[in-house]
Amino acid sequence: VPTWVCGCCGALRPRYKRLVDNIFPEDPEDGLVKANMEKLTFYALSAPEKLDRIGAYLSERLSRDVARHRYGYVCIAMEALDQLLMACHCQSINLFVESFLKMVRKLLESDKPSLQILGTNSFVKFANIEEDTPSYHRSYDFFVSRFSEMCHSSYEDPDIRTKIRMAGIKGLQGVVRKTVNDELQANIWDPQHMDKIVPSLLFNLQSGERTESRSPSPLQASEKEKESPVELTERCFRELLGRAAYGNIKNAVTPVLMHLDNHSLWEGKTFAVRCFKIIMYSIQSQHSHLVIQQLLGHLDANSKNSATVRAGIVEVLLEAAAIAASGSVGPTVLEVFNTLLRQLRLSVDYELTGSYDGSTNIGTKIIKAHEERQLQEAVIRTIGSFANTLPTYQRSEVMLFIMGKIPVPGVHLALPSTGSGPEGTRMIQIMLLKSLVQVTAGFQTTNMLTALPSSFLEPLLSFSLTEDPEVRLLVLQILLSLIDRHDNRPKFSNISIISDISVLKLKVDKCSRQDNLFMKKHGQQLYRHIYLGCKEQSSGRQHYETLFALLGLLSVELANEEVVVDLIRLALALQDLALSTDEGLPVFNRCAVHALAAAYLNLICQLTTVPAFCQHIHEVIEVRQKESPYLLPEDVFIENPKLPSSLEKVEGDVLFLQSKITEVLGGSGYNTDRLATPYVPQNVCALLPDEDRLSKRKSIGETISLQVEVESRNSPEKEEVKKKMKYLQLMDSVGMEEQERERRRQVVEKFQKAPFEEIAAHSVTIALFSFLLPSRPPPSPSGTISSGYGQNQSRSVPIYEMKFPDLCVY
């Protein structure tokens, strides 16, 4: 063929083809011809309509070079494509991108690792380009699948395997960047994509698992640091989660849960905790509660799985809840506690019944009691951790919520019966009280009256009267947490006689009006439960130490002058209790109560700063140290208490005298009438309706007046009178309750069965009768009172204390 024919054909070829051909050197090792590449780029910018043809021709050449294994020219073609992409942002770039993606796909389909990495690098450069025009028909499904497959590469050479996996991670990162903000693209958050992307990242994250995540925030590392697949994976995972909007969180987290399930990664806890730390620190803080909700749902879904799996999920929930404290967790507060308490109940049932279905048959899964107990402890810790993230008002709601779940034997079962019997009820009580201990730890409020309503305190105090010593101890610990607002509790951890309490460095603030109201409302209940707690034969050293701490905290946190007097009377009543042989207390308990009263009087006398009071207390303590050391805490609350065989001769100078204390405190302005009145625990009817409380005020006043009339504190007649008063008061309250119940039943029955005309006529009669009555104040329920001039005058009653006819109240 003549040479002029070839030259003529070459001259007739389109210009864009000639420009493309000119960028390839004769020797591929020489690399891209830069001068010709500049000409091609200028041409593409000048004639953007030719971009798609340039791309198609480059794609054709690259496919031919790949088939012929001319990898040098393949690299040159990809470099040219990259430069064209970076330079051209015109409206016609979409068709050029299609050619580009076709060539990248060709490289990724190759079996040669170098070509796969080359294609990935080009794709990553393309992903970082912000296109001016949207694309309506571009698909990245192949790239998601292929990059995910590369993340799981099992190439023989470990170095090459690492490079392939890192290329896959970078590719997935590029896909996310390219699609996440483009509404016209296929939704990358769809499960079909997330189920490939997330497990691929977790696989690489797990391959180099570390004990802790490096940082709670994404790292902007330099290129030199991007050497480890684990570090690269973590950055990619954080970026993915950081881009997740509200509606996409679930699709991003669900594959994580499935991956941990499929690979049994809950048991180890470390990796699962690390994953969710990354998640919680990476997502937007206002979305934190969505992750918490998914973890709760997953915990419920695994209710019949092994205890180790459930414990792992609970541990993850513990960490996630702590991190979520800075975000929005409001909508899920009670849901969190409800789920955790339900899991606690189920765990107790599993431990006691030995099976997941409550039957006694041998199941397919063997339940290990120690694993269930570990789970229970994990749940309790999680409850406490989550509660500590809540503000005071929400924590009060949680305390009420948990209290409502505690079963009360013989009254009601707040939790459904599960077949585990009384032992199950007891264990649930203990577990829920332990949860309350965690929730109330560090609880501080300025207004205890509103933060600790009667609906919480009264049921709590009722548990302090149970026979179970563990339950009583937990109740005391809860009370200590509620009352201690200045971190004084550790200073009362041991019972001892301290000659100078200034070494304790107690923080004492003046009682606020709210504190005074709180003690006026609940003080008598607290005193009564302290007294009865000392009477329990099953009380041990820890009980008495906790009771001493409670007395100490009441003295420094909530004590005004009236409260101080009551606490001194209570301490003297405890001494009388220890002297009495009627209660049948063992020698240890009697010595312990003596020692408790001595340690507390030593504390309170120094707090009152009345010299004569302190002198009397110190004199008695000195006598005890010489003659009866077993009446002091140093000989009682030790490993091997030094106790006598009996306590028959405890009298004389070893006893604190109420008459002496009344005399010295009365001289300092304290109420001598109250000090001279021995303390007797009264069952304040706080749980009865208001009208019942009004009817009992008189009887309680009469009881107090009877106490004042008793002259001798230690006379047997006094004890007999006390017993009779208690019995009559109890019978009186029982009878009145029965009458009130019957009256209400009759009213309800009358409304239900009587004809409408009769009810209407009765109501009209009452209305007319009331209208015709002269206008005067209603009579006082307490009768009349005497004025200062000896005349009787009627006392009006507030409207909220008036008693209306039955049929007028609805």
Side-chain angles (χ1 to χ4, degrees):
V1 181
T3 56
W4 63 270
V5 175
C6 295
C8 179
C9 292
L12 293 175
R13 297 186 71 204
R15 185 182 178 192
Y16 74 89
K17 286 189 176 182
R18 284 185 281 120
L19 290 173
V20 169
D21 290 336
N22 291 338
I23 67 173
F24 292 94
E26 294 184 3
D27 185 358
E29 292 184 2
D30 294 339
L32 185 68
V33 180
K34 295 183 179 180
N36 293 336
M37 185 65 215
E38 291 176 0
K39 294 179 181 179
L40 177 62
T41 303
F42 180 78
Y43 176 78
L45 290 172
S46 303
E49 69 277 3
K50 300 291 185 180
L51 257 179
D52 58 327
R53 300 185 183 183
I54 294 173
Y57 183 59
L58 274 170
S59 176
E60 179 186 339
R61 285 202 56 147
L62 183 136
S63 300
R64 185 170 64 246
D65 291 334
V66 169
R68 296 176 179 177
H69 304 288
R70 300 170 63 181
Y71 301 124
Y73 288 121
V74 171
C75 294
I76 292 172
M78 291 309 300
E79 185 180 354
L81 283 167
D82 292 343
Q83 291 192 24
L84 287 173
L85 274 174
M86 296 298 291
C88 303
H89 291 276
C90 59
Q91 295 181 357
S92 304
I93 196 174
N94 277 331
L95 296 177
F96 176 75
V97 169
E98 291 301 322
S99 301
F100 169 79
L101 293 178
K102 181 179 178 182
M103 286 182 277
V104 172
R105 180 169 182 167
K106 186 75 174 178
L107 295 179
L108 293 176
E109 289 174 342
S110 171
D111 294 332
K112 192 173 180 60
S114 60
L115 295 185
Q116 296 175 16
I117 295 171
L118 178 65
T120 302
N121 292 337
S122 292
F123 182 84
V124 170
K125 292 177 182 177
F126 160 70
N128 290 327
I129 296 175
E130 294 184 8
E131 299 182 52
D132 296 334
T133 55
S135 172
Y136 292 87
H137 55 280
R138 198 180 299 163
S139 173
Y140 294 97
D141 292 0
F142 165 78
F143 296 100
V144 172
S145 300
R146 182 57 182 151
F147 289 138
S148 299
E149 185 181 349
M150 291 169 65
C151 287
H152 292 85
S153 174
S154 57
Y155 201 84
E156 294 180 359
D157 189 331
D159 292 336
I160 296 178
R161 181 171 65 240
T162 299
K163 290 180 180 179
I164 295 175
R165 289 184 180 181
M166 291 184 70
I169 297 167
K170 292 177 182 178
L172 290 177
Q173 189 178 30
V175 172
V176 171
R177 288 178 178 176
K178 201 64 182 173
T179 60
V180 72
N181 294 322
D182 192 346
E183 297 179 357
L184 299 175
Q185 302 299 334
N187 192 356
I188 197 67
W189 302 106
D190 285 345
Q192 59 178 341
H193 299 308
M194 285 290 106
D195 290 347
K196 296 175 183 177
I197 295 174
V198 174
S200 301
L201 297 176
L202 294 180
F203 173 78
N204 284 277
L205 196 64
Q206 184 187 355
S207 64
E209 183 181 351
R210 296 165 294 178
T211 55
E212 285 292 333
S213 180
R214 278 201 310 164
S215 170
S217 59
L219 299 176
Q220 302 297 328
S222 64
E223 290 295 328
K224 293 181 180 179
E225 292 178 340
K226 296 180 181 179
E227 298 173 354
S228 167
V230 178
E231 295 175 359
L232 179 62
T233 302
E234 184 173 332
R235 284 193 291 273
C236 181
F237 194 30
R238 289 182 185 278
E239 183 177 342
L240 173 68
L241 296 165
R243 294 174 179 269
Y246 181 87
N248 303 326
I249 295 292
K250 183 178 180 180
N251 289 346
V253 175
T254 299
V256 178
L257 299 174
M258 298 304 298
H259 182 83
L260 297 173
D261 285 344
N262 296 335
H263 296 275
S264 302
L265 295 173
W266 292 111
E267 289 90 338
K269 300 177 188 176
T270 304
F271 180 71
V273 167
R274 181 175 171 223
C275 284
F276 275 89
K277 277 188 174 181
I278 293 174
I279 292 172
M280 297 303 293
Y281 280 125
S282 300
I283 62 174
Q284 300 176 45
S285 59
Q286 66 268 27
H287 300 159
S288 298
H289 67 279
L290 297 176
V291 181
I292 302 293
Q293 282 180 328
Q294 280 193 267
L295 281 169
L296 292 172
H298 201 66
L299 183 58
D300 278 338
N302 285 272
S303 291
K304 293 189 176 182
N305 213 324
S306 67
T308 53
V309 170
R310 284 177 283 139
I313 300 174
V314 170
E315 288 286 351
V316 169
L317 195 57
L318 170 64
E319 297 290 341
I323 298 171
S326 59
S328 170
V329 293
T332 60
V333 169
L334 291 185
E335 183 183 350
V336 170
F337 291 100
N338 196 34
T339 301
L340 292 173
L341 293 178
R342 183 167 58 249
Q343 292 299 321
L344 203 57
R345 175 178 59 84
L346 288 174
S347 179
V348 170
D349 292 340
Y350 295 159
E351 180 182 349
L352 293 176
T353 60
S355 65
Y356 291 114
D357 55 3
S359 65
T360 56
N361 299 327
I362 299 176
T364 56
K365 297 180 180 178
I366 300 175
I367 293 179
K368 299 177 181 178
H370 73 279
E371 291 181 352
E372 292 294 340
R373 283 192 290 271
Q374 290 174 357
L375 167 65
Q376 292 157 17
E377 294 300 323
V379 171
I380 291 171
R381 286 198 309 273
T382 303
I383 288 174
S385 175
F386 194 80
N388 289 334
T389 67
L390 302 176
T392 300
Y393 75 94
Q394 278 191 328
R395 203 189 293 201
S396 298
E397 291 177 2
V398 171
M399 288 156 52
L400 280 170
F401 181 74
I402 297 177
M403 180 59 69
K405 295 284 185 180
I406 304 179
V408 182
V411 180
H412 72 279
L413 282 176
L415 294 173
S417 58
T418 56
S420 54
E423 179 62 21
T425 300
R426 175 187 171 275
M427 286 187 65
I428 291 173
Q429 285 179 338
I430 290 174
M431 292 300 166
L432 294 181
L433 286 172
K434 284 183 177 179
S435 301
L436 273 177
V437 170
Q438 294 288 328
V439 172
T440 55
F443 180 82
Q444 293 186 355
T445 176
T446 54
N447 190 347
M448 295 188 66
L449 200 60
T450 56
L452 307 174
S454 300
S455 54
F456 174 79
L457 273 183
E458 289 171 356
L460 176 67
L461 291 174
S462 68
F463 281 104
S464 70
L465 303 179
T466 60
E467 296 180 358
D468 193 320
E470 187 175 0
V471 170
R472 295 202 309 273
L473 186 60
L474 290 170
V475 171
L476 290 174
Q477 291 173 353
I478 294 168
L479 286 173
L480 293 183
S481 297
L482 296 176
I483 296 173
D484 183 23
R485 293 174 294 176
H486 297 89
D487 298 324
N488 287 316
R489 178 179 177 180
K491 300 163 187 176
F492 298 114
S493 57
N494 296 317
I495 307 181
S496 61
I497 303 296
I498 302 175
S499 58
D500 184 5
I501 64 169
S502 61
V503 298
L504 296 178
K505 297 181 180 179
L506 296 171
K507 298 177 182 177
V508 183
D509 284 343
K510 186 178 179 181
C511 267
S512 64
R513 179 174 175 273
Q514 290 82 3
D515 291 341
N516 292 334
L517 291 174
F518 177 82
M519 288 305 293
K520 191 176 289 292
K521 184 174 184 180
H522 298 293
Q524 293 301 324
Q525 292 172 282
L526 292 170
Y527 308 149
R528 176 173 180 265
H529 286 80
I530 292 172
Y531 182 88
L532 296 179
C534 291
K535 281 180 64 173
E536 291 289 342
Q537 296 186 15
S538 58
S539 293
R541 172 182 173 181
Q542 202 169 357
H543 291 83
Y544 290 113
E545 289 177 341
T546 312
L547 285 167
F548 172 74
L550 180 56
L551 285 167
L553 287 176
L554 287 174
S555 304
V556 298
E557 295 281 352
L558 299 168
N560 53 26
E561 183 176 318
E562 183 179 344
V563 172
V564 168
V565 170
D566 285 336
L567 289 171
I568 294 172
R569 292 171 60 222
L570 174 60
L572 293 170
L574 292 178
Q575 178 177 259
D576 290 345
L577 171 65
L579 290 170
S580 174
T581 57
D582 298 337
E583 302 293 344
L585 287 176
V587 172
F588 169 77
N589 295 71
R590 293 175 66 188
C591 289
V593 175
H594 272 299
L596 170 63
Y600 177 67
L601 285 172
N602 175 67
L603 172 70
I604 195 69
C605 76
Q606 296 184 62
L607 288 173
T608 56
T609 64
V610 178
F613 183 24
C614 295
Q615 182 180 355
H616 173 65
I617 300 301
H618 291 158
E619 287 174 355
V620 174
I621 290 174
E622 287 176 4
V623 175
R624 288 190 179 188
Q625 288 172 343
K626 295 176 182 178
E627 300 178 6
S628 308
Y630 49 83
L631 300 180
L632 295 174
E634 285 76 11
D635 277 23
V636 178
F637 301 112
I638 55 177
E639 289 291 336
N640 297 309
K642 302 173 183 179
L643 306 177
S645 58
S646 64
L647 285 178
E648 296 178 356
K649 296 182 180 180
V650 179
E651 57 188 8
D653 294 338
V654 298
L655 296 179
F656 302 100
L657 300 179
Q658 180 164 1
S659 58
K660 179 68 174 176
I661 294 174
T662 302
E663 178 185 347
V664 297
L665 288 179
S668 298
Y670 286 86
N671 189 328
T672 55
D673 291 338
R674 290 179 62 81
L675 281 168
T677 306
Y679 172 78
V680 177
Q682 297 295 329
N683 186 5
V684 182
C685 305
L687 295 177
L688 295 177
D690 290 340
E691 50 196 333
D692 287 353
R693 295 186 201 176
L694 290 173
S695 65
K696 291 183 185 299
R697 286 180 185 171
K698 188 175 180 181
S699 62
I700 293 174
E702 291 171 352
T703 303
I704 295 175
S705 65
L706 282 172
Q707 294 176 15
V708 175
E709 292 171 4
V710 178
E711 296 178 355
S712 174
R713 298 185 64 242
N714 298 320
S715 64
E717 290 82 8
K718 175 205 165 192
E719 297 295 331
E720 189 66 23
V721 169
K722 285 183 183 179
K723 292 180 181 178
K724 287 182 179 179
M725 285 193 300
K726 290 181 181 178
Y727 177 78
L728 291 173
Q729 187 181 2
L730 177 63
M731 296 302 296
D732 181 49
S733 63
V734 171
M736 293 193 67
E737 289 175 8
E738 291 292 336
Q739 292 176 10
E740 180 65 18
R741 195 178 295 111
E742 178 64 20
R743 185 185 68 79
R744 291 180 178 178
R745 187 192 63 78
Q746 291 175 358
V747 171
V748 172
E749 184 176 357
K750 189 169 186 178
F751 268 108
Q752 290 176 340
K753 297 182 178 180
F756 174 76
E757 292 79 5
E758 180 181 341
I759 297 174
H762 187 71
S763 301
V764 170
T765 302
I766 292 174
L768 289 172
F769 181 73
S770 302
F771 178 77
L772 293 174
L773 284 176
S775 176
R776 56 186 174 85
S780 169
S782 304
T784 60
I785 59 174
S786 297
S787 66
Y789 299 96
Q791 298 175 345
N792 291 337
Q793 60 182 14
S794 60
R795 183 172 60 187
S796 62
V797 180
I799 190 68
Y800 55 81
E801 290 187 4
M802 290 183 185
K803 294 196 67 172
F804 294 93
D806 297 334
L807 296 181
C808 290
V809 181
Y810 60 91

